[in-house]
Amino acid sequence: MLFYQPVKLSDREWVEPIFRSSGFMGSEYTFSNLYNWSKAYTFALAKFDGFVVVKNGKDDAAYLYPAGSGDFRAVIEAMKEDAASLGKPLRLTGVTGEKKAALEREFPDRFRFTPVRDNYDYLYRVDRLTTLAGKKLHGKRNHINRFLENNPDWRYERITPENIGAVSEMSAEWCKINKCSQDGSLKREACAVKSGLEHFFELELTGGVLWAGGRIVGFSYGSPVSESVFDVQVEKAFYDVQGAYPMINQQFVTNELQSFEYVNREDDLGAEGLRKAKLSYYPDLLLEKWIAEEA
């Protein structure tokens, strides 16, 4: 039987090592994402013999594909029993091609698989996002050059206890300009960003700040998924500052992420503008994801 509890900061001590050792590349497998979005999606946690089990909502039989090591069949069966207690079939999210193959191998003909394009993660090689070399990224270099020309006093710095208050103020201003309170998706995101900034150092997040004209015009932060993949969870910049978005993107990768092979810039949630922006960087890997539902 699985015993669930709300996600707490103290859970990081046992959850994060399991997530990072799993070798998974998906953005779902960072404790900071799980914690910061837990109020919006009512995530609940359970331990099961070396596995982390995450359920979305008290009465919803939707579960994140389990991370951990041990008896894989046993943890799936426990999750099936839990779903059955709610009168629903087991439904697994975050199922990549590798995980899909494992389910088909262990439970042949027991699951139906539905691809969810809106949830595909965009992964890029760190060296490409650093140099922006090649014809395909010529436009990004042009935007950065315009930023440099227009903002000779610009500077980049890491997020620290000394500047995080200013970062929070910039985030609030961004939300005011973009009317976060009037958009359900932006409102949920704003709540997650606020949580991330409030617990930034407890979660051991890594972040960067872009200054120009004596104010913050962009910031970004995230945390590792594994030794080779870093998940960029938040990136904000003022749209009226030409080149601020590509500039904070490049500067954050250049200054903070050189020890990683890939940057995961998460999904696009089906938003046309966001999809266009992520595709414009030409991902090296589009991490496909399915929903697996018990047949």
Side-chain angles (χ1 to χ4, degrees):
M1 181 177 292
L2 296 170
F3 297 96
Y4 291 95
Q5 60 182 1
V7 183
K8 306 183 300 295
L9 271 173
S10 58
D11 290 317
R12 178 174 175 263
E13 184 176 350
W14 70 273
V15 172
E16 195 161 87
I18 295 175
F19 274 177
R20 291 195 184 177
S21 64
S22 70
F24 295 161
M25 303 178 80
S27 56
E28 304 93 337
Y29 296 95
T30 59
F31 179 78
S32 50
N33 255 344
L34 183 66
Y35 179 78
N36 291 329
W37 286 92
S38 61
K39 293 183 178 61
Y41 292 102
T42 60
F43 293 128
L45 281 174
K47 296 180 182 180
F48 185 89
D49 293 344
F51 287 91
V52 178
V53 179
V54 180
K55 182 159 67 171
N56 183 357
K58 294 179 181 178
D59 301 315
D60 190 353
Y63 305 78
L64 181 63
Y65 184 97
S69 58
D71 190 335
F72 175 66
R73 176 175 287 274
V75 70
I76 294 295
E77 293 291 356
M79 294 165 76
K80 286 177 61 179
E81 290 178 12
D82 192 69
S85 72
L86 301 172
K88 297 180 180 181
L90 174 63
R91 185 155 51 97
L92 297 172
T93 63
V95 180
T96 62
E98 181 183 3
K99 300 168 192 172
K100 179 174 178 286
L103 283 169
E104 290 176 319
R105 184 171 57 251
E106 291 293 330
F107 301 94
D109 303 319
R110 297 273 293 277
F111 288 93
R112 294 187 301 269
F113 297 92
T114 305
V116 186
R117 174 61 181 85
D118 295 354
N119 291 347
Y120 289 9
D121 279 354
Y122 294 77
L123 280 85
Y124 310 83
R125 292 189 61 88
V126 167
D127 54 359
R128 267 205 328 115
L129 289 187
T130 301
T131 65
L132 299 175
K135 292 182 179 179
K136 290 182 177 180
L137 297 177
H138 177 71
K140 304 299 180 187
R141 298 196 301 275
N142 279 344
H143 282 302
I144 287 175
N145 287 334
R146 296 293 83 76
F147 178 88
L148 295 173
E149 290 173 5
N150 295 333
N151 301 281
D153 67 339
W154 78 274
R155 74 179 190 274
Y156 169 89
E157 62 187 25
R158 180 175 289 187
I159 292 180
T160 65
E162 288 70 36
N163 63 28
I164 197 165
V167 175
S168 296
E169 291 174 4
M170 182 270 181
S171 181
E173 184 179 354
W174 189 97
C175 269
K176 184 177 180 180
I177 292 170
N178 291 278
K179 299 179 171 61
C180 291
S181 62
Q182 299 175 29
D183 182 293
S185 178
L186 286 178
K187 190 174 182 179
R188 288 189 294 272
E189 181 189 61
C191 181
V193 173
K194 185 173 184 289
S195 174
L197 292 173
E198 287 177 346
H199 302 287
F200 192 89
F201 303 105
E202 295 164 282
L203 291 168
E204 296 188 11
L205 293 165
T206 298
V209 185
L210 182 65
W211 293 81
R215 63 171 182 149
I216 294 176
V217 297
F219 73 93
S220 183
Y221 70 72
S223 64
V225 182
S226 66
E227 289 185 358
S228 61
V229 180
F230 186 94
D231 178 43
V232 174
Q233 297 165 2
V234 174
E235 183 181 87
K236 299 292 181 189
F238 290 131
Y239 291 104
D240 62 345
V241 180
Q242 185 179 5
Y245 265 108
M247 188 67 173
I248 185 57
N249 184 333
Q250 186 200 42
Q251 287 297 307
F252 184 51
V253 172
T254 299
N255 287 280
E256 314 297 347
L257 307 185
Q258 293 301 303
S259 63
F260 296 91
E261 183 179 2
Y262 287 102
V263 176
N264 184 330
R265 292 182 56 78
E266 302 196 344
D267 55 26
D268 59 37
L269 297 174
E272 183 179 351
L274 192 55
R275 180 168 298 183
K276 184 178 179 181
K278 290 179 186 286
L279 287 172
S280 72
Y281 275 93
Y282 298 92
D284 293 288
L285 175 62
L286 195 58
L287 189 64
E288 298 178 349
K289 297 179 187 178
W290 284 262
I291 287 177
E293 189 165 15
E294 190 179 359

